[in-house]
Amino acid sequence: MLLVTLINMLVVVAAVVIHYECLLRLNNLLPHLKVWHRFRIVFGVLGAMAAHAIEVWGFALAYFLMIKRGNWGTLAGNFDGTLTDCAYFSFTTFTTIGFGDIEPVGHLKYLTGLEALTGLVLITWTASFLFLEMQRYWAIK
């Protein structure tokens, strides 16, 4: 159980660090783009979405490796054991949609809960970042 907790913490910390680094780089890059100022927001949105996708795939890889390990749980339901299905489950968990066609069993439940909480926090962080960027660039005529 201690090893599962450490793995879960590592995955969450990795997602937060990835998000921080992506937003920091976007914040530094956007003012220097030689494009119409409103396209900076589009670039910011696309950059943030790319960060979220990387984070989701990180969780998906963790699910996949934990399932392959064998004794840390599995995903049940409409799940065929592929990395692609792990990514689908991760996207629905990260965004807190949770369609319910795949559900965690065993110790994977803990990572699933942490992913939903992490996704909520990181999506909110992105919304705040984009709000500040819109205030900065939409006021420019």
Side-chain angles (χ1 to χ4, degrees):
M1 183 66 180
L2 179 62
L3 185 57
V4 171
T5 303
L6 291 174
I7 291 169
N8 291 348
M9 288 173 46
L10 179 66
V11 174
V12 169
V13 167
V16 171
V17 168
I18 288 168
H19 204 73
Y20 172 83
E21 291 298 327
C22 287
L23 292 184
L24 178 65
R25 280 164 177 59
L26 282 172
N27 187 58
N28 292 336
L29 178 66
L30 291 178
H32 302 296
L33 288 178
K34 303 294 184 210
V35 296
W36 187 36
H37 63 274
R38 291 188 178 164
F39 284 125
R40 291 178 185 155
I41 300 302
V42 172
F43 189 82
V45 169
L46 294 175
M49 288 178 66
H52 287 296
I54 292 167
E55 295 148 14
V56 166
W57 277 95
F59 278 99
L61 184 61
Y63 290 128
F64 184 74
L65 294 174
M66 289 175 79
I67 289 167
K68 292 300 176 193
R69 171 78 165 87
N71 59 348
W72 288 336
T74 190
L75 296 174
N78 189 20
F79 177 68
D80 64 8
T82 63
L83 180 58
T84 307
D85 265 8
C86 289
Y88 164 76
F89 176 74
S90 184
F91 270 103
T92 60
T93 302
F94 189 88
T95 58
T96 67
I97 294 172
F99 289 125
D101 56 338
I102 299 175
E103 62 184 72
V105 176
H107 293 302
L108 286 183
K109 289 181 179 183
Y110 302 114
L111 185 56
T112 302
L114 286 172
E115 182 181 11
L117 179 61
T118 303
L120 178 66
V121 169
L122 297 185
I123 290 169
T124 304
W125 188 2
T126 298
S128 299
F129 171 78
L130 292 174
F131 174 76
L132 292 173
E133 292 301 315
M134 285 189 291
Q135 280 189 324
R136 181 186 309 175
Y137 296 117
W138 281 13
I140 299 173
K141 299 289 180 190

